[in-house]
Amino acid sequence: MADPLLFNPRTYDPAHFDPETRRLLRATVDWFEDRGKRRLIEDYRSRAWLAEFLAFAAEEQLFATFLTPSAVAERADQRWDTARIAALNEILGFYGLDYWYAWQVTILGLGPVWQSDNAAARARAAGLLARGEVFAFGLSERAHGADIYSTDMLLEPDGDGGFLASGSKYYIGNGNAAGLVSVFGRRADVEGPDGYVFFAADSRHPAYHLVKNVVDSSKYVSEFRLADYPVGPDDVLHTGRAAFDAALNTVNVGKFNLCTASIGICEHAMYEAVTHAHNRVLYGRPVTAFPHVRRELADAYVRLVGMKLFSDRAVDYFRSAGPDDRRYLLFNPMTKMKVTTEGEKVIDLMWDVIAAKGFEKDTYFAQAAVEIRSLPKLEGTVHVNLALILKFLHNHLLAPAGYEPVPARLDAADDAFLFRQGPARGLGSVRFHDWRPAFDAYSGVPNVVRFRQQADALCDFVRTAAPDEEQSRDLDLLLSVGQLFALVVHGQLILEQARATDLDVDVLDELFSVLVRDFSAHAVELHGKESATREQQDWALGAVRRPVTDAARSARVWERVEALSGAYEMAP
């Protein structure tokens, strides 16, 4: 019997969605399954452009259905629905990050357009989606990365109310084929933030020069150059501070997609790894008979379950967000940083078990082991996202506000607020509901209780031993604190989703035994920081806890892992 907690193409039936969403998700799975594993791996190894997949998506109107907001839609089934977008992320990650990447950067490219008041540009984008075109997000530059304060894409007034844009962009996905590239630049004749401009460019225009693919991959991560590219009124998406806000708010929308892609990668790799290990005999016993192998695979499994629970619950906060509820601004970098780094740990645990098999060219695992590394490094590094997460620490831990519970959001609704988020500032004023009731609901689960002790200890740390003004400039120290805080947020949403889905308590307890160990490890790391005070060092050692062990519980969880052997294998 298939594990209900993991995606399995053999049994996948997204019955919780409307009929057209179900059809499109199932059609996507069937397209990959019909293509087969050999072709999937060969396309990855040969760095083939994704023309056939994009042709399928165009024929099925996949991108047009999922990425056209209701406000500009021509069909009732078109909307921007984060729940079904997340479902497609997982499927595309399951079959290969290259496919997901073309979709992901299309989402980023659309962000500034759907936030724009330019009706002509919005209509143009909707038409391009209907024709099956992809999009690109022209923000980063070779010299400055994503430092948008320092853009060298310059727009010179042309004397007729328009501009001529010149400059280069670097690390721009889909830059080889995008029907519309949302490009960030600044006016040469206006100083400061008032000079920012977001405009729409076409990669097929003669003044658009494609330089190269900067990576060795099917993902076309381009460098392109504009030379006197004409920008008319219908091409201007945002000006001034609104252009700056559109850039950051687009990343808020697009960053979320990395978590579910990571989940899909790990799920496919887990089927391969468990099947291989369980059927390989060493010293007269299956590899999975060794205690350390069982622990590593069980840890990988519960970490993966935690990734899914957190991400599913975060969807609800995105879909329920509004001007007075911006909790998603914390859960967003959490999905980007915490879930994707958990994905790395899941792959590493399985790779320790299957060893050399993970390098073999006829496995999905070989590409999973490479591609899982990229996700924590896209849309900002782990360090950038941790620094962002820290902005919410005090209000989340110590200053809860009254909110009505956010329901599970699987309804067929348009998430319109994501394109009217407003000014990208004021993060320190965002308030949160009390995190403690999520833990109280599981006061009978030993490792949830043990982890709650550590979370309460972190609150004491913030009250009594928080970094002083000088330490607040020591990012190395602060990042250790950020890891501890991230674990509390991670645990909270896991528990909220566990309750909503009636998660097996054995799995939950085993998962929190892992989180207890993780908290202890980060506390020890904080203890060793050069600038940590004696009080902080003492606190750190005092926060170390041993998880509650239970051999019978672990054995029951192992049975779930063992059952993954042979549960899915892609057709040749």
Side-chain angles (χ1 to χ4, degrees), residues 7 44 62 72 98 154 165 193 207 235 328 375 383 395 398 414 421 443-444 472 516 521 572:
F7 168 72
Y44 178 77
L62 179 63
V72 293
D98 291 346
L154 299 180
D235 301 315
Y328 74 102
L375 289 163
H383 305 131
N395 278 356
L398 302 181
D414 193 69
Q421 296 175 55
S443 59
S472 294
V516 169

Side-chain angles (χ1 to χ4, degrees), residues 18-335:
D18 62 276
E20 181 61 5
T21 298
R22 292 202 302 272
R23 187 193 73 78
L24 285 170
L25 293 174
R26 188 66 242 184
T28 303
V29 171
D30 292 342
W31 185 86
F32 282 109
E33 290 294 321
D34 291 344
R35 198 166 180 80
K37 187 174 183 178
R38 288 196 192 96
R39 184 67 182 277
L40 192 81
I41 292 172
E42 182 56 33
D43 286 350
Y44 178 77
R45 293 179 61 240
S46 64
R47 280 59 172 141
W49 175 240
L50 313 172
E52 293 179 50
F53 169 69
L54 295 176
F56 155 79
E59 181 180 358
E60 295 288 349
Q61 289 284 284
L62 179 63
F63 289 13
T65 302
F66 279 33
L67 301 182
T68 305
S70 296
V72 293
E74 294 185 351
R75 306 194 315 269
D77 55 37
Q78 292 179 315
R79 64 184 184 275
W80 193 285
D81 175 339
T82 304
R84 67 179 186 176
I85 287 171
L88 186 56
N89 285 332
E90 185 177 0
I91 291 169
L92 296 180
F94 188 92
Y95 289 107
L97 198 67
D98 291 346
Y99 305 97
W100 170 86
Y101 185 74
W103 147 266
Q104 157 70 0
V105 291
T106 290
I107 288 173
L108 290 170
L110 286 165
V113 182
W114 297 147
Q115 293 176 66
S116 175
D117 293 329
N118 186 330
R122 288 160 61 88
R124 174 181 164 192
L128 289 168
L129 272 173
R131 296 200 296 273
E133 298 277 3
V134 294
F135 291 68
F137 186 53
L139 184 67
S140 66
E141 299 176 9
R142 186 166 194 166
H144 308 296
D147 177 7
I148 56 181
Y149 295 100
S150 305
T151 179
D152 289 330
M153 176 66 70
L154 299 180
L155 288 84
E156 295 277 359
D158 64 3
D160 294 320
F163 304 94
L164 295 175
S166 297
S168 64
K169 293 291 181 178
Y170 193 80
Y171 230 82
I172 310 303
N174 290 351
N176 61 316
L180 188 154
V181 185
S182 296
V183 183
F184 185 84
R186 59 184 172 90
R187 293 180 55 162
D189 60 331
V190 177
E191 293 294 325
D194 290 342
Y196 293 141
V197 180
F198 240 126
F199 63 95
D202 184 344
S203 70
R204 301 172 183 88
H205 193 282
Y208 180 106
H209 303 283
L210 184 65
V211 178
K212 62 180 178 180
N213 186 356
V214 304
V215 299
D216 183 19
S217 171
S218 296
K219 294 183 282 294
Y220 205 105
V221 186
S222 71
E223 178 182 6
F224 71 80
R225 179 169 46 84
L226 303 184
D228 290 335
Y229 187 101
V231 179
D234 286 350
D235 301 315
V236 175
L237 304 173
H238 303 274
T239 60
R241 177 74 196 195
F244 180 92
D245 291 337
L248 297 184
N249 290 337
T250 294
V251 174
N252 284 341
V253 176
K255 183 185 292 185
F256 181 78
N257 298 307
L258 282 80
C259 63
T260 34
S262 179
I263 289 165
I265 292 172
C266 291
E267 287 171 319
H268 197 158
M270 179 159 280
Y271 287 120
E272 271 197 350
V274 175
T275 300
H276 170 72
H278 194 58
N279 290 278
R280 181 167 171 77
V281 175
L282 288 179
Y283 310 111
R285 293 191 293 171
V287 167
T288 50
F290 294 97
H292 68 288
V293 167
R294 291 191 174 194
R295 179 191 60 77
E296 288 181 312
L297 291 179
D299 279 5
Y301 173 79
V302 296
R303 283 188 187 275
L304 177 53
V305 170
M307 292 163 65
K308 293 199 73 168
L309 293 168
F310 182 92
S311 301
D312 286 348
R313 185 56 176 154
V315 165
D316 300 333
Y317 288 97
F318 264 76
R319 304 200 69 196
S320 300
D324 299 319
D325 183 356
R326 299 200 297 160
R327 287 173 284 180
Y328 74 102
L329 292 174
L330 166 59
F331 303 140
N332 188 33
M334 278 290 302
T335 57

Side-chain angles (χ1 to χ4, degrees), residues 430-550:
V430 176
R431 301 291 297 277
F432 300 88
H433 59 297
D434 194 342
W435 57 272
R436 295 167 184 82
F439 287 82
D440 294 340
Y442 285 98
S443 59
V445 179
N447 282 302
V448 174
V449 174
R450 189 64 50 91
F451 185 83
R452 168 66 185 274
Q453 295 169 0
Q454 294 176 307
D456 286 336
L458 183 61
C459 293
D460 292 338
F461 174 87
V462 174
R463 293 188 192 98
T464 65
D468 59 23
E469 184 176 350
E470 182 177 350
Q471 288 180 313
S472 294
R473 294 189 290 271
D474 182 353
L475 188 57
D476 189 40
L477 177 83
L478 293 179
L479 292 178
S480 288
V481 178
Q483 291 283 9
L484 294 166
F485 173 49
L487 276 166
V488 176
V489 180
H490 189 57
Q492 175 196 350
L493 262 63
I494 285 171
L495 291 171
E496 290 183 12
Q497 188 67 10
R499 192 175 188 188
T501 57
D502 197 22
L503 180 71
D504 181 87
V505 173
D506 285 335
V507 174
L508 187 66
D509 202 8
E510 198 77 3
L511 169 56
F512 269 82
S513 75
V514 170
L515 300 187
V516 169
R517 282 188 266 134
D518 287 352
F519 195 100
S520 296
H522 287 301
V524 171
E525 182 182 10
L526 176 62
H527 174 269
K529 293 299 180 185
E530 184 175 349
S531 64
T533 65
R534 172 56 61 186
E535 185 179 17
Q536 290 165 345
Q537 293 173 46
D538 291 344
W539 174 88
L541 293 183
V544 172
R545 294 288 187 278
R546 172 183 167 84
V548 179
T549 59
D550 182 334

